[in-house]
Amino acid sequence: MTLPSKARGALRAATAAHHDRVDAVFSHADLTDREGYGRFLQAQAGAYLPVEAALEHAGAARLVPDWAARRRAESLRSDLAALELAVPHETSALTFDGAAAVLGGVYVLEGSRLGGALLARGVPAHFPRGFLAPGDSAGWRSLLGILEHTLTSAGDIASAIESASRVFLLFESSGRRYLRTDLR
């Protein structure tokens, strides 16, 4: 029996409302329609690209040994190019200060990979799906181990939660911009 993770549980509980709002915004995308799928990818890019770049700049590779294999920015750019769509200009000046903040950001991106694998099932086979390609479950378990090993104090967990919350808000904002939702 595996015991629940303290850091993961805290992150999950504290960001649940953010996660729900992001899911609600992105649920408006029609992934079976070329235009809808393209807007979905642009919405993802508007948040994902600046977050991954900021995590890279903050030294995610020092904390997550397989960081290079987890990166998906090039797959996202490639999918957009295959659809002949522009890559959104990165407008976020997001920064991650400290290991806990970096891990909060990585937690959200890796969670989005899990969700993306589920979404990929509804995307037509002739659409580019590199960005939505699933990772392996060992990668997620490895990240959970890193969270538990690194986020050991209440301050660390609070920093990770704050960081994850900022990332979720960026995804929500980008989704609203590109998916033109009327959610408030």
Side-chain angles (χ1 to χ4, degrees):
M1 177 169 98
T2 304
L3 296 175
S5 151
K6 179 180 178 183
R8 177 189 181 193
L11 275 163
R12 184 181 219 177
T15 62
H18 291 299
H19 186 266
D20 291 346
R21 284 194 309 274
V22 169
D23 280 352
V25 169
F26 279 87
S27 72
H28 289 274
D30 181 356
L31 304 182
T32 65
D33 171 77
R34 186 183 190 285
E35 182 182 345
Y37 182 59
R39 284 197 319 260
F40 166 82
L41 289 176
Q42 287 181 310
Q44 288 288 320
Y48 187 92
L49 296 176
V51 171
E52 185 179 277
L55 288 169
E56 181 74 18
H57 181 73
R62 290 190 306 272
L63 298 166
V64 182
D66 61 346
W67 172 247
R70 293 174 186 265
R71 297 182 67 197
R72 297 185 292 154
E74 288 311 311
S75 294
L76 183 50
R77 287 185 182 100
S78 178
D79 288 353
L80 286 167
L83 292 172
E84 300 176 342
L85 293 172
V87 174
H89 295 290
E90 297 177 15
T91 59
S92 173
L94 192 63
T95 60
F96 295 95
D97 297 321
V102 168
L103 290 174
V106 173
Y107 169 81
V108 176
L109 293 191
E110 285 300 298
S112 80
R113 178 190 303 270
L114 295 174
L118 294 173
L119 292 175
R121 297 176 187 165
V123 176
H126 62 281
F127 287 176
R129 296 183 289 173
F131 177 68
L132 296 179
D136 63 9
S137 60
W140 178 248
R141 288 190 307 273
S142 168
L143 177 62
L144 296 180
I146 293 167
L147 293 174
E148 288 309 304
H149 179 73
T150 308
L151 305 178
T152 57
S153 72
D156 289 340
I157 292 172
S159 178
I161 289 168
E162 190 275 331
S163 176
S165 296
R166 286 187 298 132
V167 172
F168 274 118
L169 288 170
L170 185 57
F171 272 95
E172 181 181 356
S173 173
S174 187
R176 288 181 190 280
R177 182 172 48 253
Y178 286 95
L179 300 174
R180 300 179 193 105
T181 67
D182 59 357
L183 296 176
R184 295 287 175 229

